[in-house]
Structures are given as C-alpha cells and as structure tokens.
Amino acid sequence: STAKLMEKGTTISVTFKDIAGLKEAKTEVMEVVDFLKNPERYTALGAKIPKGVMLAGPPGTGKTLMARAVAGEAQVPFFSMSGSEFVEMFVGVGASRVRDLFKRAKEKAPSIIFIDEIDAVGRSRGKVNAFQANDERESTLNQLLTELDGFGPNTGVIVLAATNRPDVLDKALLRPGRFDRHIYLELPTQEERIAIFKVHMRPLKLAKTVNVENLAKMSPGFSGADIANLCNEAALIAARKKKTQVGHVDFMQARDRVIGGIERKSKIISPKE
Ligand code: ATP
C-alpha cells in the first residue's frame, strides 16, 4: 500500500473538526494550510514559504492526525513515509524511496509529504554507538537533507515531520530552510479530554449513564489516542454483553484495559532509553 501512496498521494477527508483541543497547534498549522492554498499572498511580497514543519509531542497526541488535517483542509494530495521503515532496509533502498517520494510530490504540487517517526532516520549521528551504526539510516538521512535543499521554497510542496523525540534529532535537520518550524503538541488537559471524548463518542450509541466530564476527570495522562481507544473498547465491551447502548460501566471496564495497556507499553519502552 505504501507503493500505491507513493504513486499518487492520497486524498484525505480529515479536517480540523476531527481534532479536539490543541488550539495553539491548530492555529499554527492553519498557517501551513494557507501557504498551500494561497501561496501568491506570500510570494507577492517576496516571502519564502517554509518548506519543513516539525510536529513534536508524546505518542498519540495527534501529530499524524494534524498532518492529515492539513492535507484535508488544503485539499492537496498527501504522500507519507515512516522513518522506521528504513532502519531494516538494504543500503540504497531508503535513499531511493526518499528521492521517489519527493519526485512524485513535486509532480502533484501543491502537496504534502508527511514523514512519521523522523527520529528513526534523523537521530543525531553522535548519539549512535559504533555497534549500532546503521549505514542505511545515514544514507536515508543524507538523501532527505539533499531533497530538502534541492527544491525551491515556493514549489508548493510542504514537508511535515513527526517525532516523540525532538531532543535526539540531528541538528542538520533543524537548520534554516529545512525543518525550521516547530509545533508542539502536549498531552490534553482535562478540558481538552472532554472535547476529545466528545469527538470519539460521536459515532457511539450512548446510555444516559455516561458522563463525559467524569470520564475526563478519571483519565489523567491519557493521550488522544488512548481516549479514542477507550471509547471504542467501551463499545466493544457493551456489544459483547449484547447491550443496545454503551453505558458507564462499559467505559469503566474499558478504562481499566486501556490503563493496563499504557502500563505495559511504558514498561517495555523505559529500559531502552
Ligand atoms: P504517534 O506518535 O504514536 O504516531 P500521533 O501523535 O501521531 O502518535 P495520532 O496517530 O495522530 O497520534 O493519533 C492517534 C489517534 O488518536 C487519532 O487517529 C485520533 O483518533 C486520536 N486523537 C489523538 N489526538 C486527538 C485529538 N486532539 N482530537 C481527537 N482525536 C485525537
């Protein structure tokens, strides 16, 4: 499916209505939409439109969602790749994939390139020890830098990248003319969690026992992805009980499950770093 994406880019139907909270990040991202929709407004004044925008924040905070919403709002094709795809590849494959991706995005400009988990290729070279050295990663990174430098600022292609680890990125990626704009996405506040619950409750058939404020209060530290997962789990649990509506108890059981999952994940992740 990646091959297909790389050929034509995908049409995205996500819009800002699908994103709850994240008000500041949304405002900044809306400017990117305007760069794509009304470039002449900027170029007429002699401004160079930024090429690269880094979305940084903890897992599940909506970085991918935000990138897709930019494409959806601007109605431009979306080309994506994930940095982690390249770590296991044979030398040369990653670099040629990157070249290909940029070529196709330029052909379809205005367009968006989204690079998820950019830290997998863009990790600072100094921070990798000799045993972990990965030539493929490095050649992919070099190709990415070459591509970023190789197209003009007003070609109508904007590259969005996402990372949970902005601290480990190679400084070369963050230089002016590359990913020089940074947008931070934080874990949602209680107020924002209410809004996120509401988005993900839209498709559910809810019982009157469900209290959104209460659920938001009982889910501190949850990301948007955790909340989306919780809502769907609650519906699955209710269905398993052959209920016709999703009730408070279903959400409580789903919450225990999601918390279990979050704990397992953090146990696996923490010893590595
Ligand atoms: P990762 O770093 O793990 O790739 P991410 O930051 O890219 O995560 P997304 O993939 O965008 O996170 O989020 C996963 C899902 O969580 C989204 O598809 C959406 O359903 C939900 N979600 C996350 N944030 C929000 C939000 N602010 N409003 C509504 N839904 C959200």
Side-chain angles (χ1 to χ4, degrees), residues 10 25 66 91 95 98 103 121 127 137 158 162 171 180-181 208 213 228 230 234 266-267:
T10 6
M66 199 66 101
V91 174
V98 169
K103 182 168 168 270
V121 280
K127 285 195 179 133
R137 194 191 62 84
I158 295 186
K171 294 286 169 287
D180 48 8
R181 290 212 161 196
K208 290 213 172 62
E213 284 78 11
L230 168 61
S266 57
K267 268 199 206 114

PDB file of all heavy atoms in Angstrom, residues 10 25 66 91 95 98 103 121 127 137 158 162 171 180-181 208 213 228 230 234 266-267:
ATOM      1  N   THR A  10      -2.497  10.369  -1.407  1.00  0.00           N
ATOM      2  CA  THR A  10      -3.861  10.020  -1.060  1.00  0.00           C
ATOM      3  C   THR A  10      -4.667  11.280  -0.854  1.00  0.00           C
ATOM      4  O   THR A  10      -4.141  12.316  -0.495  1.00  0.00           O
ATOM      5  CB  THR A  10      -3.953   9.233   0.269  1.00  0.00           C
ATOM      6  OG1 THR A  10      -2.663   9.187   0.843  1.00  0.00           O
ATOM      7  CG2 THR A  10      -4.480   7.864   0.061  1.00  0.00           C
ATOM      8  N   ALA A  25      -1.602  24.771  18.545  1.00  0.00           N
ATOM      9  CA  ALA A  25      -1.001  23.987  17.468  1.00  0.00           C
ATOM     10  C   ALA A  25      -1.852  24.101  16.206  1.00  0.00           C
ATOM     11  O   ALA A  25      -1.339  24.256  15.103  1.00  0.00           O
ATOM     12  CB  ALA A  25      -0.863  22.531  17.898  1.00  0.00           C
ATOM     13  N   MET A  66      -3.003  15.687  12.773  1.00  0.00           N
ATOM     14  CA  MET A  66      -2.793  17.089  12.413  1.00  0.00           C
ATOM     15  C   MET A  66      -2.249  17.192  10.983  1.00  0.00           C
ATOM     16  O   MET A  66      -2.711  18.023  10.199  1.00  0.00           O
ATOM     17  CB  MET A  66      -1.798  17.678  13.418  1.00  0.00           C
ATOM     18  CG  MET A  66      -1.763  19.159  13.531  1.00  0.00           C
ATOM     19  SD  MET A  66      -3.268  19.890  14.196  1.00  0.00           S
ATOM     20  CE  MET A  66      -2.817  20.188  15.868  1.00  0.00           C
ATOM     21  N   VAL A  91      20.962  -1.251   2.002  1.00  0.00           N
ATOM     22  CA  VAL A  91      21.575   0.033   1.686  1.00  0.00           C
ATOM     23  C   VAL A  91      21.126   0.513   0.311  1.00  0.00           C
ATOM     24  O   VAL A  91      21.127  -0.252  -0.652  1.00  0.00           O
ATOM     25  CB  VAL A  91      23.117  -0.069   1.757  1.00  0.00           C
ATOM     26  CG1 VAL A  91      23.765   1.235   1.291  1.00  0.00           C
ATOM     27  CG2 VAL A  91      23.540  -0.359   3.192  1.00  0.00           C
ATOM     28  N   ALA A  95      17.246   5.605   0.518  1.00  0.00           N
ATOM     29  CA  ALA A  95      17.562   6.836  -0.204  1.00  0.00           C
ATOM     30  C   ALA A  95      16.749   6.944  -1.492  1.00  0.00           C
ATOM     31  O   ALA A  95      16.217   8.001  -1.806  1.00  0.00           O
ATOM     32  CB  ALA A  95      19.054   6.899  -0.498  1.00  0.00           C
ATOM     33  N   VAL A  98      13.162   7.843  -0.735  1.00  0.00           N
ATOM     34  CA  VAL A  98      13.019   9.261  -0.392  1.00  0.00           C
ATOM     35  C   VAL A  98      13.012  10.104  -1.669  1.00  0.00           C
ATOM     36  O   VAL A  98      12.166  10.982  -1.854  1.00  0.00           O
ATOM     37  CB  VAL A  98      14.155   9.718   0.557  1.00  0.00           C
ATOM     38  CG1 VAL A  98      14.183  11.230   0.701  1.00  0.00           C
ATOM     39  CG2 VAL A  98      14.001   9.064   1.925  1.00  0.00           C
ATOM     40  N   LYS A 103       9.988  13.303  -5.653  1.00  0.00           N
ATOM     41  CA  LYS A 103       9.729  13.498  -7.080  1.00  0.00           C
ATOM     42  C   LYS A 103       8.226  13.495  -7.339  1.00  0.00           C
ATOM     43  O   LYS A 103       7.692  14.389  -7.999  1.00  0.00           O
ATOM     44  CB  LYS A 103      10.423  12.382  -7.867  1.00  0.00           C
ATOM     45  CG  LYS A 103      10.280  12.483  -9.369  1.00  0.00           C
ATOM     46  CD  LYS A 103      11.241  11.505 -10.057  1.00  0.00           C
ATOM     47  CE  LYS A 103      10.917  11.366 -11.535  1.00  0.00           C
ATOM     48  NZ  LYS A 103       9.943  10.270 -11.797  1.00  0.00           N
ATOM     49  N   VAL A 121      15.205   7.902  11.362  1.00  0.00           N
ATOM     50  CA  VAL A 121      16.279   8.170  10.391  1.00  0.00           C
ATOM     51  C   VAL A 121      17.098   9.394  10.772  1.00  0.00           C
ATOM     52  O   VAL A 121      18.254   9.515  10.382  1.00  0.00           O
ATOM     53  CB  VAL A 121      15.773   8.405   8.935  1.00  0.00           C
ATOM     54  CG1 VAL A 121      15.470   7.110   8.251  1.00  0.00           C
ATOM     55  CG2 VAL A 121      14.635   9.368   8.868  1.00  0.00           C
ATOM     56  N   LYS A 127      24.978  10.313  18.596  1.00  0.00           N
ATOM     57  CA  LYS A 127      24.340   9.566  19.677  1.00  0.00           C
ATOM     58  C   LYS A 127      24.212   8.079  19.399  1.00  0.00           C
ATOM     59  O   LYS A 127      23.699   7.332  20.201  1.00  0.00           O
ATOM     60  CB  LYS A 127      22.963  10.156  19.981  1.00  0.00           C
ATOM     61  CG  LYS A 127      23.089  11.455  20.747  1.00  0.00           C
ATOM     62  CD  LYS A 127      21.771  11.869  21.374  1.00  0.00           C
ATOM     63  CE  LYS A 127      21.969  13.164  22.139  1.00  0.00           C
ATOM     64  NZ  LYS A 127      20.932  14.136  21.858  1.00  0.00           N
ATOM     65  N   ARG A 137      20.381   3.974   7.543  1.00  0.00           N
ATOM     66  CA  ARG A 137      19.753   5.107   8.196  1.00  0.00           C
ATOM     67  C   ARG A 137      20.454   6.393   7.761  1.00  0.00           C
ATOM     68  O   ARG A 137      19.831   7.385   7.416  1.00  0.00           O
ATOM     69  CB  ARG A 137      19.860   4.927   9.712  1.00  0.00           C
ATOM     70  CG  ARG A 137      18.991   5.828  10.527  1.00  0.00           C
ATOM     71  CD  ARG A 137      19.394   5.744  11.994  1.00  0.00           C
ATOM     72  NE  ARG A 137      20.770   6.182  12.192  1.00  0.00           N
ATOM     73  CZ  ARG A 137      21.128   7.443  12.338  1.00  0.00           C
ATOM     74  NH1 ARG A 137      20.237   8.384  12.338  1.00  0.00           N
ATOM     75  NH2 ARG A 137      22.393   7.767  12.485  1.00  0.00           N
ATOM     76  N   ILE A 158       5.119  21.082   0.886  1.00  0.00           N
ATOM     77  CA  ILE A 158       5.498  21.323   2.279  1.00  0.00           C
ATOM     78  C   ILE A 158       5.694  19.975   2.948  1.00  0.00           C
ATOM     79  O   ILE A 158       4.885  19.054   2.777  1.00  0.00           O
ATOM     80  CB  ILE A 158       4.451  22.197   3.007  1.00  0.00           C
ATOM     81  CG1 ILE A 158       4.443  23.602   2.355  1.00  0.00           C
ATOM     82  CG2 ILE A 158       4.762  22.292   4.507  1.00  0.00           C
ATOM     83  CD1 ILE A 158       3.579  24.625   3.039  1.00  0.00           C
ATOM     84  N   ALA A 162       6.983  14.176  11.995  1.00  0.00           N
ATOM     85  CA  ALA A 162       6.531  13.986  13.370  1.00  0.00           C
ATOM     86  C   ALA A 162       7.564  13.234  14.177  1.00  0.00           C
ATOM     87  O   ALA A 162       8.257  12.348  13.657  1.00  0.00           O
ATOM     88  CB  ALA A 162       5.210  13.216  13.385  1.00  0.00           C
ATOM     89  N   LYS A 171      21.015  17.896  14.377  1.00  0.00           N
ATOM     90  CA  LYS A 171      20.828  19.349  14.226  1.00  0.00           C
ATOM     91  C   LYS A 171      20.747  19.771  12.759  1.00  0.00           C
ATOM     92  O   LYS A 171      20.141  20.785  12.425  1.00  0.00           O
ATOM     93  CB  LYS A 171      21.969  20.126  14.921  1.00  0.00           C
ATOM     94  CG  LYS A 171      21.997  19.973  16.440  1.00  0.00           C
ATOM     95  CD  LYS A 171      20.879  20.776  17.112  1.00  0.00           C
ATOM     96  CE  LYS A 171      20.734  20.424  18.589  1.00  0.00           C
ATOM     97  NZ  LYS A 171      20.122  19.072  18.803  1.00  0.00           N
ATOM     98  N   ASP A 180      12.620  24.092  10.020  1.00  0.00           N
ATOM     99  CA  ASP A 180      12.931  25.216  10.904  1.00  0.00           C
ATOM    100  C   ASP A 180      11.710  25.713  11.666  1.00  0.00           C
ATOM    101  O   ASP A 180      11.800  26.628  12.469  1.00  0.00           O
ATOM    102  CB  ASP A 180      13.630  26.339  10.135  1.00  0.00           C
ATOM    103  CG  ASP A 180      12.917  26.690   8.847  1.00  0.00           C
ATOM    104  OD1 ASP A 180      11.799  26.180   8.615  1.00  0.00           O
ATOM    105  OD2 ASP A 180      13.489  27.471   8.066  1.00  0.00           O
ATOM    106  N   ARG A 181      10.566  25.121  11.428  1.00  0.00           N
ATOM    107  CA  ARG A 181       9.375  25.484  12.199  1.00  0.00           C
ATOM    108  C   ARG A 181       8.990  24.312  13.066  1.00  0.00           C
ATOM    109  O   ARG A 181       8.926  23.184  12.574  1.00  0.00           O
ATOM    110  CB  ARG A 181       8.198  25.712  11.269  1.00  0.00           C
ATOM    111  CG  ARG A 181       8.343  26.921  10.485  1.00  0.00           C
ATOM    112  CD  ARG A 181       6.970  27.442  10.267  1.00  0.00           C
ATOM    113  NE  ARG A 181       7.076  28.824   9.904  1.00  0.00           N
ATOM    114  CZ  ARG A 181       6.075  29.646   9.929  1.00  0.00           C
ATOM    115  NH1 ARG A 181       4.877  29.217  10.321  1.00  0.00           N
ATOM    116  NH2 ARG A 181       6.234  30.883   9.596  1.00  0.00           N
ATOM    117  N   LYS A 208     -27.748   7.040  28.998  1.00  0.00           N
ATOM    118  CA  LYS A 208     -27.786   8.288  29.775  1.00  0.00           C
ATOM    119  C   LYS A 208     -26.821   8.274  30.964  1.00  0.00           C
ATOM    120  O   LYS A 208     -26.496   9.316  31.519  1.00  0.00           O
ATOM    121  CB  LYS A 208     -29.219   8.536  30.294  1.00  0.00           C
ATOM    122  CG  LYS A 208     -30.176   8.890  29.174  1.00  0.00           C
ATOM    123  CD  LYS A 208     -31.256   9.878  29.646  1.00  0.00           C
ATOM    124  CE  LYS A 208     -32.078  10.374  28.473  1.00  0.00           C
ATOM    125  NZ  LYS A 208     -32.813   9.260  27.797  1.00  0.00           N
ATOM    126  N   GLU A 213     -17.733  14.590  31.567  1.00  0.00           N
ATOM    127  CA  GLU A 213     -16.867  15.337  32.492  1.00  0.00           C
ATOM    128  C   GLU A 213     -16.175  14.379  33.453  1.00  0.00           C
ATOM    129  O   GLU A 213     -14.983  14.498  33.727  1.00  0.00           O
ATOM    130  CB  GLU A 213     -17.680  16.373  33.289  1.00  0.00           C
ATOM    131  CG  GLU A 213     -18.066  17.619  32.495  1.00  0.00           C
ATOM    132  CD  GLU A 213     -19.242  17.393  31.550  1.00  0.00           C
ATOM    133  OE1 GLU A 213     -19.915  16.323  31.652  1.00  0.00           O
ATOM    134  OE2 GLU A 213     -19.476  18.260  30.681  1.00  0.00           O
ATOM    135  N   ALA A 228      -9.438   7.689  22.247  1.00  0.00           N
ATOM    136  CA  ALA A 228     -10.091   7.067  21.085  1.00  0.00           C
ATOM    137  C   ALA A 228     -10.220   5.558  21.310  1.00  0.00           C
ATOM    138  O   ALA A 228     -11.275   4.960  21.080  1.00  0.00           O
ATOM    139  CB  ALA A 228      -9.281   7.351  19.821  1.00  0.00           C
ATOM    140  N   LEU A 230     -10.153   3.988  24.243  1.00  0.00           N
ATOM    141  CA  LEU A 230     -11.093   3.767  25.351  1.00  0.00           C
ATOM    142  C   LEU A 230     -12.539   3.762  24.859  1.00  0.00           C
ATOM    143  O   LEU A 230     -13.333   2.883  25.220  1.00  0.00           O
ATOM    144  CB  LEU A 230     -10.874   4.863  26.408  1.00  0.00           C
ATOM    145  CG  LEU A 230     -11.890   5.037  27.530  1.00  0.00           C
ATOM    146  CD1 LEU A 230     -11.994   3.798  28.388  1.00  0.00           C
ATOM    147  CD2 LEU A 230     -11.516   6.211  28.412  1.00  0.00           C
ATOM    148  N   ALA A 234     -14.995   0.514  24.940  1.00  0.00           N
ATOM    149  CA  ALA A 234     -16.264   0.557  25.682  1.00  0.00           C
ATOM    150  C   ALA A 234     -17.399   0.035  24.806  1.00  0.00           C
ATOM    151  O   ALA A 234     -18.246  -0.748  25.262  1.00  0.00           O
ATOM    152  CB  ALA A 234     -16.556   1.979  26.154  1.00  0.00           C
ATOM    153  N   SER A 266       4.744   1.348  28.786  1.00  0.00           N
ATOM    154  CA  SER A 266       5.809   2.143  29.394  1.00  0.00           C
ATOM    155  C   SER A 266       6.871   1.239  30.005  1.00  0.00           C
ATOM    156  O   SER A 266       8.035   1.592  30.070  1.00  0.00           O
ATOM    157  CB  SER A 266       5.247   3.141  30.412  1.00  0.00           C
ATOM    158  OG  SER A 266       4.518   2.455  31.395  1.00  0.00           O
ATOM    159  N   LYS A 267       6.483   0.030  30.418  1.00  0.00           N
ATOM    160  CA  LYS A 267       7.483  -0.923  30.925  1.00  0.00           C
ATOM    161  C   LYS A 267       8.414  -1.382  29.820  1.00  0.00           C
ATOM    162  O   LYS A 267       9.589  -1.580  30.023  1.00  0.00           O
ATOM    163  CB  LYS A 267       6.788  -2.147  31.534  1.00  0.00           C
ATOM    164  CG  LYS A 267       6.557  -1.983  33.018  1.00  0.00           C
ATOM    165  CD  LYS A 267       6.319  -3.320  33.695  1.00  0.00           C
ATOM    166  CE  LYS A 267       5.493  -3.112  34.945  1.00  0.00           C
ATOM    167  NZ  LYS A 267       4.154  -3.724  34.859  1.00  0.00           N
TER     168      LYS A 267
END
